[in-house]
Amino acid sequence: MSTPSVTITVDGAPIEVNPERMLLPELLDKGFSIPHFCYQESLGSDGNCRMCMVEIAGKKRPQIACDTPIVTGMEIRTRGESIEKVRRDILELELINHPVDCPICDQAGECSLQDYYMEYGLYQGKVDKKEKHPFDKHIDLGANVMHDQERCVLCQRCVRFCRDVTHTDELCVAGRGDRSYITTVPGEKLHNNYAMNIVDLCPVGALTSKDFRFQQRVWFLATSPSVCHGCAKGCAIDIDHAKSKYHDDTIYRFRPRKNPEINGEFICDAGRLSYKETQTNLLKTCHIRKETLPEAEALDRWRAILTEDEYPIVVLADANLYTEELAALQAFARTLHARLYAPLEAYHDPAFGDDWLKSPQRAANSEGVKRLGIATEMPTINDNTLVINVNHPDGHRTANRIDLLTHQPDEDTGRVPARLTLPIAPWVQSSGHLINEDGIKQYCEQVLRRNDPIPTLIERLKQVTDEEYDKHFDNRETAS
Amino acid sequence: MSFTWTRAHRAELDALKTRYTSPKALVLPALWKVQEQEGFLPLEGIEAVAELTGYSKAEVYGVATFYTMFRLQPQGRYTLQVCKTLSCALNGQGTILDHLKERLGIEVGETTPDGRFTLTQVECLGSCGTAPVMQVNDTLHEHLTPESVDTLLNTLMDKGGSL
């Protein structure tokens, strides 16, 4: 069925629009810029902020576009002196009690209020700063969300998210008139696993993330599209990172990236905070048992062990690896006449799963593993088997082992030290595809370009499969 | 602290329930009953209203804070509500208020340490012809003078011991 369409006139030019939607979403989709606070794509219209006024021919007063149905032939004006005056007046009301603290506000640079003021406001304020009604400035709402009541424009996106999306209803508007404020019931906190999405939804600096606030100015951040590796759901994310003076390329936050097929425009809090794991406790040096050794010596060792010939070889692959890396491991295993496994049982975490965006399967590319035909059970490993453990969480049981790890091994778990341990790059320093549990394939860009890069898995494999070593393995094939 | 409806209130609310298509319509009457029972709206009472109406606790809290006549803090035994609107203001409401503040030793919005009196100011009590007026709990007192206020306070103190 095709979308119905009617013709309306906007700013003097005819356009085709879908009459089943309200005016504002259609105009925004068609590229018109209309200021708005309370309307939000996932939450719909609320009609409380009055910011999205447009002029409609035949109507005495400007109307809010978010709650105006489309009628064939209607004539809309989104620009012009009179509509801009209306917007300026509404902004003036919004800003009566708003503090002038943009220089210390984390929202600065991505704040609708600030943008609209620059576009439509720019009036001489009539309210003396001393007359502004002060509200509380740092209220810990729980779940890493900090609330600054002074900065709030009462669009209620956060209230509606907790009511309509998570159905947890923690927030309300208390009081009335210019003394209204957003709050939880006294003594209670936000208690849902998606609460930090209200920080993204907030069009101003009233809700900020405890984790991100005061860490970095948003205009210094570069954004790389990627995919969350927290579970098999594969929520689309944007990764904000910066290489600031005297610092190496560092990730500051994950934000949901719109993908209607998977996560809409939200992610869970656990996924959002998992950026920390991509840059803390990384393994950077090579080890023999527990002794560190220089990279060059470790490489000789890496080649030597593989050419020793005497072992049956098992490769254990992390199911978080990109499809390209898994395919490279498959080729590597073939060259070595090794068997490749990616045991999935270790990633099963029923306590993590829910019925929305959190999957109990914590491996980001479990579907990629299955599609490549890689065995997913844990093989029986004998003492004389050489295990090449590529970052698998359960791969450290036997001593005759080479570890390729992204993170420093946790010594407390009774782990047997490996014959040789080599660092490989974590996923944010590499690139490739992931296939989520619903079979949707997505690409992850390489996010970080560090001054001290760690070899990616594919680079590591190349170190031992260059021509000379290929020849060695070819000979072995002929011999066997 | 816990909250339970009195049997009479429960019965009244059940009867009211049959009048409306949704129990959500009961949010204001139910909040009134809580305030009548407890003298203010404790969080436990707000929770009971949420349970009764099907609203979330946060929504009921929003309603309770919206209306100025709902009180979220415990009040004194006698709540003195001095009218501050035009007729009373012109007829000496200021003198009455100052006198009350001095006698009770508290500011507007405060309660005496013995928990007897809470002093508040309210908008028009609808008795401009007899200004200045003050409502004490549910009783209206008219044509106030500092002397009549003293007499009234003395009567109230006699009822409940000394100030």
Side-chain angles (χ1 to χ4, degrees), chain A residues 237-293:
Chain A
I237 56 169
D238 273 329
I239 300 183
D240 288 340
H241 57 107
K243 204 173 199 168
S244 47
K245 214 172 177 182
Y246 310 123
H247 287 93
D248 208 344
D249 207 355
T250 305
I251 296 175
Y252 287 90
R253 62 179 178 183
F254 283 180
R255 284 179 300 128
R257 177 164 53 90
K258 194 171 151 191
N259 187 334
E261 286 181 310
I262 302 170
N263 54 313
E265 35 187 352
F266 305 118
I267 52 172
C268 73
D269 291 354
R272 184 185 296 265
L273 295 173
S274 66
Y275 78 90
K276 294 178 187 172
E277 291 156 25
T278 66
Q279 52 194 11
T280 46
N281 216 16
L282 294 183
L283 182 68
K284 291 182 178 164
T285 48
C286 308
H287 298 257
I288 286 182
R289 300 296 174 202
K290 286 182 173 179
E291 302 300 316
T292 52
L293 80 165

Side-chain angles (χ1 to χ4, degrees), chain A residues 376-396:
Chain A
T376 58
E377 77 279 5
M378 181 56 97
T380 25
I381 296 166
N382 303 320
D383 284 347
N384 66 337
T385 311
L386 173 67
V387 173
I388 299 175
N389 166 37
V390 186
N391 216 35
H392 191 275
D394 263 356
H396 54 271

